[in-house]
Amino acid sequence: MGKTEELFKNPTAEYRGKPFWSWNGKLEKSELLRQIEVFRQMGMGGYFCHSRIGLETEYLGNEWFDLINSCAEKGASLGMETWLYDEDRWPSGIAGGMVTKHRENRMKFLRMTVLESCEDTDRTDAVAVFAVNLDGLSFSGKERISSGSQAGGRTVLKFTVEDMVREDSCNGYTYLDTMKREATECFIKETHEKYREHCGKHFGKEILGIFTDEPHRGAIMAGFGNSNPDSEYLLPFTDKLFDEFESAYGYDLRDFLPELYLWKDGEKVSPVKWQYMELTERLFLENFLAPIHDWCRKNNMRFTEHLLHEDSLTAQTTMIGSIMRAYEYMDVPGVDVLTEHNYCFWIVKQLQSAARQLGKNKMLSELYGVTGWQFDFESHKSVGDWQALFGINVRCHHLSWYTMEGEAKRDYPASIFYQSPWWKEYKYVEDYFSRLGVMLNQGAPVCDLLIVNPIESVTSQVSVKSFNGLGASAPEIVSMEQKYADLFHWLAGERIDFDYGDEEMMGRLSSVGKDAEGNPVFNVGHASYRTILVGNMETMRETTLKALQKFEEAGGKVIFAGEAPKFVNAVASEAPAQLAAQSIRIDYAQKPIVETVKSLIRPVVQVTDASGNDMKNVFGQVRQDGDRYYVVLMSMDRGRKFDSVTVTLPFAGEVTLW
């Protein structure tokens, strides 16, 4: 038996689940150590020590650190991994309120107020005031007016800055200004440095890393993450925003504030919106994620996390921007898949794409949250299956309770732990998933297709009323979301593997080369592709346009599905259409996309039912390790059983069923 076969038979702790271990009562050392033994019997490979509602022991007090050290030592003695969690509940960044009790660290927003006239308008707190002709969301005739000026019958737009409203969920304070480096440094001082002081001897050995949960840069006109009234008129703000914007783009954003919220002369796509969204994401990445990642690297700790709200292009836009870019700052990048029937497959596919391109072989999912006590093993398998198929190999179960006392029993049940009668049998579940993790970590993916991710076509046209909570309400964005989902299903249903390409990452990490047979390939970091698909985009970056031109000039295949983007860097341009005219042009529809892609990539696995019909509800992944291929196929149809299925593999050699 080879090493791979042996590892498949007996997966090690790194492939086994690591639940959120809810520290939610009066903690006793003997009970904590007993519970670690329970985790081991359940087939787990470790745990995240996670402060939750109901905690009676002082968070980050001396006893807390003593218990962390004892658990790390106990876990190591059993071959299990101990991981930290960096917050009192969530989202990460405030150290239970110790950071944001200082007002300068609190999240801030820029508000637009619409007034009928400027007579009686108090402007002492205004960042800027404008008079415009307003028709719905479209404005024209913009004039910035000063104190004492008249609006001349036009609508007045007043812009002010305000703090996030204080909330109980933040222990009476607010969330963090995650675009401000000094605020993040305060968080690191109050949390990470205290762990280093008290537990540092275990870093990189008994304690492997630390989890950051649901950070974000503030909601874009969406009302999530804050309780401020009329939140559809709010945008995230930080003290240095205007200076940073002028440094990056060469003009004063204050002169163009109406364009952030509304449509200038009826045009929905705006370079001002695109630049603001790009800047706020960059400030979040550079001033929150990067410092924590740097601290982890310096202290021999692995950094893992998931960001707030990933389910759609819209959800990502409202809270972060392009989530794919954030994975560059994580050693173990992660996602959160809530509820039992969440079939947003592209959440994990985006993560898998970035991980392949960045050369990261560990991917985390916080899964099973917000399910219930009725959630049985079939459900555990079904929810975990498709995530494992697309690369999840660090399973972070939500949730394993220290105690069920008091309010703790209502913390998004059910407890995946000793309180459930089936806990002794749970090892069957973990053995299954850890073996999948081993198999899908061998060799390299057989993946020839890159899809340019269209999220910047959403971020460049945000406006008041674009979103309904975390969903899209603007018809053009609703249409984009449907096309995005359709394309995933069309390709996955044919077992055509693909990756998404983030435009900013492509601008830094891409190059054109040749494969071993001399065929042109488009490289993004560690990954290489034979074909690029462009579709469902209103705007593209100039760097993307130039990269595609270079690839096509080298003989590479570029497909334009549907209309070519009409904008470059959110400015009207004919250049994408000109490139499309030289490329492969097809309709944005299932048959032309599938048939065209199949003609340009290596053959795919075929799956048919007893009647010879192609089974589009079977997804798959193929990996190549030398002359060996690993093929994993899964039915996405929980409600049907298939007695006879034919699988046709495009490879020569012997077949072994594992």
Side-chain angles (χ1 to χ4, degrees):
M1 183 179 292
K3 290 183 178 180
T4 302
E5 287 83 352
E6 179 57 38
L7 185 60
F8 178 82
K9 184 177 180 181
N10 298 296
T12 53
E14 67 172 310
Y15 292 100
R16 294 184 173 277
K18 297 158 186 69
F20 273 165
W21 186 10
S22 176
W23 286 20
N24 61 355
K26 176 59 179 174
L27 304 176
E28 300 292 342
K29 181 184 295 187
S30 60
E31 177 60 15
L32 288 169
L33 300 185
R34 183 193 75 83
Q35 291 184 16
I36 293 175
E37 292 275 7
V38 172
F39 279 133
R40 185 178 65 84
Q41 294 178 60
M42 292 177 68
M44 303 297 187
Y47 39 81
F48 291 87
C49 302
H50 180 6
S51 169
R52 299 289 294 196
I53 192 165
L55 178 67
E56 296 179 40
T57 301
E58 181 187 359
Y59 176 63
L60 299 183
N62 288 332
E63 183 182 4
W64 176 273
F65 293 119
D66 288 343
L67 294 172
I68 291 285
N69 286 328
S70 295
C71 288
E73 292 161 6
K74 174 68 173 182
S77 73
L78 298 175
M80 302 179 70
E81 299 176 1
T82 298
W83 291 71
L84 305 177
Y85 179 97
D86 67 3
E87 188 52 79
D88 178 21
R89 294 172 288 174
W90 71 93
S92 294
I94 65 173
M98 289 185 282
V99 176
T100 49
K101 69 181 180 182
H102 306 290
R103 185 178 180 186
E104 64 270 18
N105 293 332
R106 295 175 188 170
M107 176 164 279
K108 301 175 182 65
F109 295 97
L110 181 68
R111 176 181 294 279
M112 181 180 77
T113 303
V114 181
L115 304 165
E116 291 304 317
S117 69
C118 60
E119 289 79 8
D120 306 325
T121 300
D122 180 8
R123 305 182 200 176
T124 56
D125 62 340
V127 171
V129 179
F130 295 84
V132 301
N133 298 313
L134 189 62
D135 181 10
L137 294 181
S138 179
F139 74 92
S140 61
K142 178 190 71 176
E143 179 187 0
R144 187 169 176 180
I145 56 178
S146 58
S147 178
S149 301
Q150 299 300 309
R154 292 170 292 176
T155 300
V156 175
L157 305 177
K158 177 183 176 182
F159 296 87
T160 53
V161 173
E162 63 187 56
D163 287 353
M164 175 182 170
V165 170
R166 293 163 68 148
E167 297 181 343
D168 289 343
S169 62
C170 297
N171 286 339
Y173 296 104
T174 77
Y175 189 50
L176 188 76
D177 180 357
T178 54
M179 295 187 285
K180 184 176 182 178
R181 175 67 67 103
E182 295 83 356
T184 302
E185 289 173 347
C186 184
F187 171 53
I188 291 173
K189 178 181 177 182
E190 292 289 353
T191 303
H192 300 67
E193 283 297 321
K194 288 181 179 178
Y195 273 116
R196 184 185 63 80
E197 177 186 354
H198 294 277
C199 310
K201 64 182 179 180
H202 295 304
F203 281 7
K205 296 174 289 187
E206 293 83 6
I207 299 176
L208 268 69
I210 192 164
F211 190 107
T212 290
D213 200 5
E214 298 192 348
H216 58 89
R217 56 93 166 92
I220 297 287
M221 295 180 280
F224 268 78
N226 72 84
S227 299
N228 295 53
D230 299 318
S231 55
E232 66 268 30
Y233 293 96
L234 296 180
L235 289 173
F237 183 81
T238 189
D239 294 336
K240 297 180 180 179
L241 179 70
F242 295 131
D243 291 339
E244 292 281 359
F245 192 95
E246 186 161 9
S247 176
Y249 302 112
Y251 65 93
D252 190 343
L253 177 61
R254 284 167 287 204
D255 292 333
F256 296 84
L257 292 178
E259 205 163 330
L260 291 180
Y261 296 78
L262 304 168
W263 305 335
K264 181 183 178 183
D265 298 323
E267 181 56 70
K268 297 176 182 178
V269 175
S270 162
V272 179
K273 299 178 193 292
W274 180 73
Q275 290 165 348
Y276 167 83
M277 295 292 287
E278 167 63 23
L279 177 65
T280 54
E281 174 159 18
R282 178 169 63 79
L283 292 178
F284 169 73
L285 297 177
E286 293 178 355
N287 294 321
F288 185 79
L289 292 189
I292 298 176
H293 188 224
D294 291 344
W295 183 91
C296 288
R297 288 288 178 91
K298 291 176 183 177
N299 289 279
N300 200 27
M301 291 279 277
R302 302 178 74 187
F303 181 36
T304 186
E305 66 164 322
H306 82 82
L307 303 174
L308 185 61
H309 300 313
E310 305 132 321
D311 285 13
S312 65
L313 299 174
T314 297
Q316 293 179 27
T317 294
T318 58
M319 306 309 298
I320 302 293
S322 174
I323 278 187
M324 289 182 66
R325 292 168 59 178
Y327 298 139
E328 198 163 355
Y329 296 88
M330 308 175 199
D331 300 306
V332 183
V335 296
D336 181 17
V337 181
L338 296 173
T339 74
E340 180 173 359
H341 300 289
N342 184 343
Y343 299 118
C344 299
F345 302 109
W346 39 88
I347 302 174
V348 177
K349 192 56 177 161
Q350 287 180 18
L351 171 58
Q352 183 185 51
S353 303
R356 288 172 172 179
Q357 294 156 5
L358 297 168
K360 301 176 187 288
N361 63 2
K362 293 296 180 186
M363 296 165 49
L364 176 144
S365 175
E366 178 189 332
L367 71 175
Y368 304 144
V370 197
T371 52
W373 287 102
Q374 83 294 340
F375 196 65
D376 60 13
F377 281 13
E378 189 274 337
S379 297
H380 277 256
K381 180 180 182 298
S382 180
V383 171
D385 261 350
W386 66 265
Q387 297 185 58
L389 181 69
F390 292 123
I392 295 300
N393 51 21
V394 181
R395 287 161 41 82
C396 178
H397 310 64
H398 190 297
L399 191 68
S400 300
W401 299 344
Y402 174 81
T403 178
M404 285 179 63
E405 291 181 351
E407 192 173 354
K409 69 172 62 67
R410 296 178 177 85
D411 189 2
Y412 302 105
S415 182
I416 307 171
F417 210 17
Y418 68 93
Q419 297 95 342
S420 293
W422 39 255
W423 72 266
K424 292 183 179 179
E425 285 74 46
Y426 200 76
K427 186 174 183 296
Y428 289 114
V429 177
E430 282 308 308
D431 284 349
Y432 169 77
F433 280 114
S434 58
R435 287 170 182 155
L436 271 178
V438 169
M439 177 173 281
L440 286 164
N441 205 39
Q442 303 304 310
V446 178
C447 178
D448 294 342
L449 178 64
L450 179 70
I451 298 174
V452 182
N453 204 36
I455 189 167
E456 293 187 12
S457 293
V458 178
T459 63
S460 64
Q461 54 183 328
V462 299
S463 63
V464 175
K465 311 297 185 183
S466 284
F467 310 127
N468 179 16
L470 295 174
S473 55
E476 59 276 6
I477 301 177
V478 172
S479 175
M480 285 190 64
E481 294 283 15
Q482 186 59 57
K483 287 182 177 179
Y484 195 70
D486 287 343
L487 182 60
F488 178 92
H489 286 283
W490 295 341
L491 296 172
E494 298 281 349
R495 292 155 299 281
I496 297 172
D497 199 8
F498 66 90
D499 284 339
Y500 295 111
D502 173 83
E503 291 193 77
E504 191 277 337
M505 293 172 65
M506 290 168 60
R508 290 183 293 108
L509 303 177
S510 68
S511 63
V512 176
K514 294 185 177 181
D515 63 15
E517 289 76 38
N519 301 308
V521 293
F522 188 82
N523 305 309
V524 183
H526 295 259
S528 297
Y529 309 95
R530 300 185 180 193
T531 302
I532 302 175
L533 176 65
V534 179
N536 195 26
M537 296 176 68
E538 286 292 310
T539 186
M540 68 166 48
R541 290 191 177 221
E542 184 178 13
T543 53
T544 304
L545 180 67
K546 290 181 177 179
L548 297 181
Q549 290 170 336
K550 185 176 180 180
F551 182 51
E552 191 169 69
E553 289 168 1
K557 302 302 181 183
V558 179
I559 304 169
F560 277 80
E563 293 187 24
K566 301 180 183 66
F567 300 83
V568 173
N569 292 352
V571 176
S573 173
E574 295 293 326
Q578 292 168 359
L579 176 61
Q582 304 167 11
S583 305
I584 302 169
R585 295 294 303 272
I586 58 175
D587 293 335
Y588 200 98
Q590 181 173 1
K591 187 174 181 179
I593 288 178
V594 168
E595 289 183 351
T596 303
V597 169
K598 278 188 172 182
S599 71
L600 298 174
I601 64 174
R602 284 170 284 184
V604 299
V605 175
Q606 299 295 319
V607 183
T608 55
D609 62 19
S611 300
N613 299 312
D614 189 29
M615 297 178 64
K616 300 187 186 305
N617 58 349
V618 175
F619 294 174
Q621 292 277 278
V622 178
R623 298 183 69 88
Q624 182 178 5
D625 188 9
D627 59 358
R628 172 182 281 185
Y629 289 87
Y630 294 87
V631 180
V632 178
L633 303 171
M634 288 185 182
S635 171
M636 297 296 113
D637 191 341
R638 292 178 64 173
R640 294 183 64 192
K641 176 183 177 182
F642 300 92
D643 294 318
S644 178
V645 173
T646 299
V647 177
T648 305
L649 304 177
F651 316 115
E654 297 180 357
V655 177
T656 304
L657 181 64
W658 284 23

